[in-house]
Amino acid sequence: MTETTEQPVRRGRPPIRSRQEQMTSLLDAAAQALGSGNFANVTMDAIARAAGISKKTLYLLVASKEALLSQLVARDLSTLELLLESGIDCAEDLLSELRMYLTLWARLTLSPLALGLYLMAAQGRETAPDIARIWYQEGAERCLSLLRGWLGKAAGKGLLADDDVESAVELIDALLISQPLKLFTLGVQQSWSDEQIEQRVEVTLGLFGRCFIHRVPKP
């Protein structure tokens, strides 16, 4: 018989994670805490423990909870900002590109993470105004600004009137974002399925198309 020799168990410190890996773990832990709806757990100490990061390392990575939430919002929006970059030459192109943007925007805004941040912003608007600023200026207003700029380019190609851009943005925001957030704030609805979001996107696109798009008549 051939004897087998067991390999010695290696002991020592676990592999050191890179700064990027630590930051990713920290953001994931913050997202999970916000998405749970239990805001008592959204503290820097609790997030650091969930991420497996020491308090000392935590403050080397990010200066404050507000700074951490700001990075969390930026991470979500990085995907959204990749859209609305392709060229548009006709109404069909505009509606197709807009459908993708609105669908992703609504999914991000109505996700458990985003709704958690929204409630934190609303409940802490007096005691923690920076969180409200992050939600609005770095989140909601950033999404609206991207849309406003893109529709401005479409207006430059004659697909809608320049004077209609702001009205179109307000219509889209009211139907797709503000109304669901009102229902959430009032406790009427707590979550939205992908199917419900797609239905709301189609209603929004339909009204946008009828009210604002200039279609070139067929010869």
Side-chain angles (χ1 to χ4, degrees):
M1 294 179 61
T2 303
E3 294 186 2
T4 57
T5 304
E6 293 186 1
Q7 295 295 324
V9 178
R10 294 184 178 181
R11 300 183 182 277
R13 295 181 178 180
I16 297 175
R17 291 184 291 174
S18 68
R19 182 183 180 91
Q20 183 58 49
E21 290 172 332
Q22 290 175 327
M23 195 67 223
T24 297
S25 296
L26 200 58
L27 291 172
D28 289 344
Q32 185 172 3
L34 276 169
S36 71
N38 186 0
F39 300 139
N41 291 333
V42 188
T43 65
M44 293 294 271
D45 286 351
I47 292 170
R49 286 196 300 273
I53 293 172
S54 69
K55 192 171 182 179
K56 179 180 178 181
T57 301
L58 167 67
Y59 285 103
L60 289 175
L61 292 170
V62 63
S64 64
K65 181 164 69 175
E66 288 77 12
L68 178 61
L69 295 177
S70 178
Q71 290 202 37
L72 195 57
V73 170
R75 184 174 73 168
D76 266 359
L77 289 190
S78 63
T79 304
L80 193 63
E81 289 175 342
L82 295 176
L83 298 178
L84 304 187
E85 291 186 351
S86 60
I88 49 171
D89 297 309
C90 62
E92 287 70 23
D93 289 344
L94 188 154
L95 288 174
S96 177
E97 190 80 4
L98 186 57
R99 177 179 285 104
M100 290 189 292
Y101 181 82
L102 297 186
T103 301
L104 181 55
W105 180 20
R107 285 176 178 171
L108 289 175
T109 303
L110 302 178
S111 70
L113 162 61
L115 291 173
L117 183 58
Y118 170 73
L119 277 185
M120 281 190 70
Q123 295 174 359
R125 61 186 181 276
E126 295 181 359
T127 57
D130 280 347
I131 295 178
R133 178 191 59 77
I134 290 167
W135 182 87
Y136 182 72
Q137 293 184 359
E138 300 180 23
E141 181 56 32
R142 177 59 180 157
C143 294
L144 290 170
S145 179
L146 288 170
L147 179 61
R148 187 178 292 112
W150 185 73
L151 289 179
K153 293 179 182 178
K157 294 189 175 184
L159 296 176
L160 68 158
D162 289 329
D163 293 344
D164 283 343
V165 170
E166 194 58 38
S167 296
V169 170
E170 290 185 7
L171 172 73
I172 291 170
D173 178 45
L175 291 174
L176 190 66
I177 304 299
S178 296
Q179 177 67 7
L181 288 180
K182 181 174 72 174
L183 295 176
F184 175 73
T185 304
L186 295 174
V188 176
Q189 190 161 348
Q190 297 299 318
S191 63
W192 283 263
S193 66
D194 284 348
E195 183 180 359
Q196 289 173 314
I197 287 174
E198 288 169 5
Q199 289 173 350
R200 188 168 284 273
V201 167
E202 291 306 316
V203 170
T204 303
L205 282 172
L207 282 173
F208 169 80
R210 288 194 294 272
C211 294
F212 300 110
I213 286 189
H214 291 175
R215 297 181 183 272
V216 178
K218 293 182 179 180

